[in-house]
């Protein structure tokens, strides 16, 4: 079989628990972003724009929506007979043996046969839940020039934040001599982005050896330190573009809001590096007489009869007459009822907000049940939720399911409270 230069393995099985109810029924890479996209669209688009035409997508947690979205890869030109995109789920290997993916490197180890079947010289390891544009061919050229066993994409972060990251310490030519995971006293500010290129025969050997020691084998904890200890040549490749790990409600909201600036730091409109997605054909957006939409992204099929300010609306969202939406993310198919106010909220797909509802008002009190997730003033609604007419919701509230008037004593849900009903 003819050798491929490089294939990509895209780790897309994470739950993304810090996104709260947004990932209750879907994997984090399948969460909507920027109106019409999903998070996984970005690494997939980077692959095809970089000339990488063989991608294995490793799924695990709640994969249905992700599988439906990717399909056979048509939007990304990955519907190829030789290569293309392949969904790789945990599976039985021989006899009755089979197990979940137990670490980032373990997931790759369990799919060695798939990689071997494509006969690559190099393997690109990606995360499915980051927002960025990157030309992987430039990183590969750097890898080859240095004769590296591994090349790790890094970003410079503020020195006082470096203790939150995996840090690469380098010498001349950015050759890595030490890797420190969240060091108390970092020696450098080169933070790992979780994007790696490995020379496949080197990585294959390391995966097999490490699996006998660490059944939960991880690149950061095990494989990278192991290869460094063996003296294998490893290099840091510097990236200075926009990159965001949308791992929390706040970072997810901030990254979406970055898109609506007059001069956005992250530009979705560049012809030379398009972001592709699997989207249904929708009618044009409609803004009624007397309606307002300022500093906002309105996707196809939106109908605006009220007012929208500094917000992002997914396909088919309806904002009824007299309703006001501010600083919010409203996902596909949601209806904001007549006279409602939605202020700094994230509302998942196919929700129904009743008439004259007020959301995101009051004092900023962290959520009682999950203060570590909902603590920045953003009220969040999960998929298919319903809020009845006339109620008021505070900040850091969480709604999940089809709620009724009785769920809101005196017509209110104070800041930091939750109502969760299984759908």
């Amino acid at each position: 079989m003819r050798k491929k230069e490089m294939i990509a393995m895209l780790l897309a099985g994470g739950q993304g628990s810090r996104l709260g109810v947004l990932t209750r029924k879907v994997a984090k890479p399948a969460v909507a972003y920027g109106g019409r996209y999903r998070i996984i669209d970005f690494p997939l688009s980077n692959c095809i724009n970089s000339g990488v035409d063989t991608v294995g997508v490793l799924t695990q947690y709640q994969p249905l929506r992700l599988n439906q979205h990717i399909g056979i890869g048509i939007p990304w030109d990955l519907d190829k007979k030789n290569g293309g995109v392949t969904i790789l789920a945990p599976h039985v290997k021989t006899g009755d043996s089979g197990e979940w993916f137990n670490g980032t490197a373990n997931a790759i180890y369990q799919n060695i046969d798939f990689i071997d079947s494509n006969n690559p010289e190099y393997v690109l390891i990606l995360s499915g839940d980051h927002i960025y544009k990157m030309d992987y061919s430039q990183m590969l050229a750097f890898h080859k020039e240095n004769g590296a066993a591994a090349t790790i994409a890094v970003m410079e972060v503020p020195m006082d934040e470096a203790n939150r990251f995996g840090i690469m310490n380098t010498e001349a030519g950015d050759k890595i001599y030490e890797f420190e995971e969240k060091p108390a006293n970092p020696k450098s500010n080169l933070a790992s982005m979780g994007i790696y290129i490995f020379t496949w025969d080197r990585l294959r050997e390391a995966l097999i050896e490490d699996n006998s020691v660490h059944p939960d084998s991880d690149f950061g904890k095990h494989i990278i330190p192991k290869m460094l200890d063996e003296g294998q040549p490893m290099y840091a490749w510097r990236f200075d573009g926009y990159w965001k790990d949308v791992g929390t409600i706040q970072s997810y909201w901030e990254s979406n809001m970055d898109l609506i600036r007059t001069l956005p730091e992250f530009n979705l409109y560049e012809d030379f590096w398009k972001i592709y997605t699997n989207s249904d054909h929708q009618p044009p957006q409609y803004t009624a007489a007397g309606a307002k939409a300022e500093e906002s992204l309105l996707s196809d099929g939106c109908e605006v009869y009220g007012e929208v300010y500094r917000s992002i609306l997914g396909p088919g969202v309806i904002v009824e007459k007299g309703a006001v939406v501010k600083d919010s993310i409203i996902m596909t198919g949601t209806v904001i009822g007549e006279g409602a106010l939605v202020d700094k909220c994230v509302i998942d797909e196919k929700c129904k907000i009743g008439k004259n509802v007020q959301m995101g008002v009051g004092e900023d009190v962290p959520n009682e049940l999950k203060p570590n997730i909902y603590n920045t003033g953003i009220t969040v609604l999960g998929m298919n939720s319903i809020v009845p007419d006339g109620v008021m919701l505070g900040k850091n509230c969480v709604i999940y399911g089809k709620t009724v008037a009785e769920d809101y004593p005196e017509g209110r849900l104070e800041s930091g409270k939750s109502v969760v009903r299984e759908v």
Side-chain angles (χ1 to χ4, degrees):
M1 179 181 176
R2 184 173 64 87
K3 204 171 188 69
K4 277 187 176 289
E5 183 172 48
M6 184 166 73
I7 71 169
M9 298 293 280
L10 205 164
L11 300 167
Q15 179 178 355
S17 57
R18 292 179 299 161
L19 286 179
V21 293
L22 299 182
T23 53
R24 195 179 182 98
K25 295 289 187 181
V26 299
K28 180 180 170 184
V31 172
Y33 177 86
R36 65 191 298 263
Y37 303 98
R38 296 190 184 277
I39 295 172
I40 200 170
D41 291 337
F42 294 86
L44 282 176
S45 296
N46 288 338
C47 283
I48 203 64
N49 288 332
S50 301
V52 181
D53 64 0
T54 303
V55 183
V57 180
L58 286 72
T59 63
Q60 182 153 288
Y61 172 80
Q62 295 282 13
L64 179 60
R65 179 65 61 87
L66 193 62
N67 294 352
Q68 290 172 334
H69 180 69
I70 295 171
I72 59 172
I74 291 174
W76 306 275
D77 195 27
L78 287 169
D79 53 327
K80 300 178 182 295
K81 186 175 182 180
N82 181 20
V85 64
T86 303
I87 304 294
L88 300 168
H91 56 278
V92 172
K93 310 300 186 291
T94 56
D96 294 327
S97 68
E99 58 184 345
W100 294 109
F101 300 148
N102 293 314
T104 54
N106 176 261
I108 303 300
Y109 168 80
Q110 291 196 43
N111 286 281
I112 283 177
D113 288 347
F114 169 78
I115 299 173
D116 283 344
S117 72
N118 284 284
N119 196 25
E121 190 167 354
Y122 307 102
V123 173
L124 170 67
I125 310 294
L126 303 171
S127 172
D129 51 11
H130 298 156
I131 304 297
Y132 66 111
K133 295 178 182 180
M134 180 185 287
D135 188 346
Y136 304 131
S137 67
Q138 294 180 4
M139 184 176 173
L140 177 61
F142 178 83
H143 179 89
K144 291 160 71 173
E145 285 168 10
N146 287 290
T151 298
I152 299 167
V154 298
M155 285 190 73
E156 293 186 12
V157 298
M159 202 68 192
D160 59 356
E161 296 180 16
N163 59 3
R164 296 172 39 223
F165 299 90
I167 296 297
M168 301 294 160
N169 297 321
T170 62
E171 53 194 29
D174 278 332
K175 185 175 183 181
I176 300 168
Y177 69 86
E178 184 181 35
F179 170 69
E180 295 182 289
E181 181 65 36
K182 298 181 180 178
N185 298 296
K187 300 172 187 174
S188 86
N189 65 340
L190 295 181
S192 171
M193 300 171 67
I195 299 169
Y196 317 115
I197 291 178
F198 288 94
T199 299
W200 173 232
D201 58 359
R202 304 280 191 94
L203 176 60
R204 191 182 193 280
E205 183 179 339
L207 290 172
I208 292 171
E209 289 179 0
D210 193 66
N211 181 69
S212 63
V213 181
H214 303 113
D216 59 346
S217 186
D218 181 86
F219 282 107
K221 294 177 183 176
H222 306 121
I223 298 299
I224 292 171
K226 169 183 168 59
M227 295 177 74
L228 272 176
D229 288 345
E230 292 171 352
Q232 299 204 41
M234 306 181 75
Y235 286 81
W237 184 74
R238 297 175 186 246
F239 178 73
D240 61 0
Y242 182 96
W243 179 85
K244 201 100 171 186
D245 179 353
V246 288
T248 65
I249 293 292
Q250 179 67 15
S251 64
Y252 174 78
W253 180 85
E254 286 176 353
S255 184
N256 274 272
M257 293 299 114
D258 285 344
L259 301 174
I260 60 177
R261 295 177 181 172
T262 304
L263 294 173
E265 186 179 353
F266 188 67
N267 192 344
L268 292 174
Y269 304 100
E270 296 168 328
D271 283 338
F272 70 91
W273 201 271
K274 290 184 177 179
I275 303 300
Y276 302 95
T277 188
N278 184 356
S279 59
D280 297 330
H281 292 291
Q282 297 274 354
Q285 57 184 249
Y286 174 72
T287 305
K292 291 183 180 180
E294 298 179 0
E295 294 184 85
S296 298
L297 292 183
L298 309 183
S299 302
D300 291 348
C302 287
E303 300 176 34
V304 179
Y305 302 91
E307 300 176 22
V308 180
Y309 303 99
R310 301 173 304 280
S311 295
I312 294 177
L313 274 55
V317 169
I318 298 174
V319 179
E320 294 184 346
K321 187 175 181 180
V324 177
V325 177
K326 299 191 295 184
D327 301 303
S328 294
I329 302 164
I330 316 296
M331 300 186 202
T332 303
T334 287
V335 177
I336 309 298
E338 187 174 329
L341 169 65
V342 176
D343 189 359
K344 200 175 182 183
C345 298
V346 175
I347 301 179
D348 208 337
E349 300 178 25
K350 298 180 181 178
C351 292
K352 170 65 178 175
I353 309 303
K355 295 179 180 180
N356 300 313
V357 168
Q358 294 186 61
M359 294 179 56
V361 298
E363 58 182 335
D364 191 347
V365 177
N367 188 266
E368 288 184 353
L369 298 180
K370 295 188 176 180
N372 59 320
I373 295 177
Y374 311 101
N375 55 27
T376 57
I378 301 170
T379 283
V380 183
L381 269 67
M383 190 180 298
N384 296 312
S385 294
I386 294 176
V387 178
D389 294 347
V391 301
M392 189 214 78
L393 285 72
K395 299 180 185 296
N396 296 314
C397 290
V398 178
I399 302 295
Y400 185 83
K402 299 176 180 178
T403 67
V404 295
E406 287 72 24
D407 292 317
Y408 302 86
E410 300 181 359
R412 300 169 66 90
L413 188 68
E414 300 295 343
S415 293
K417 302 287 186 180
S418 304
V419 179
V420 177
R421 301 280 179 263
E422 288 300 330
V423 177

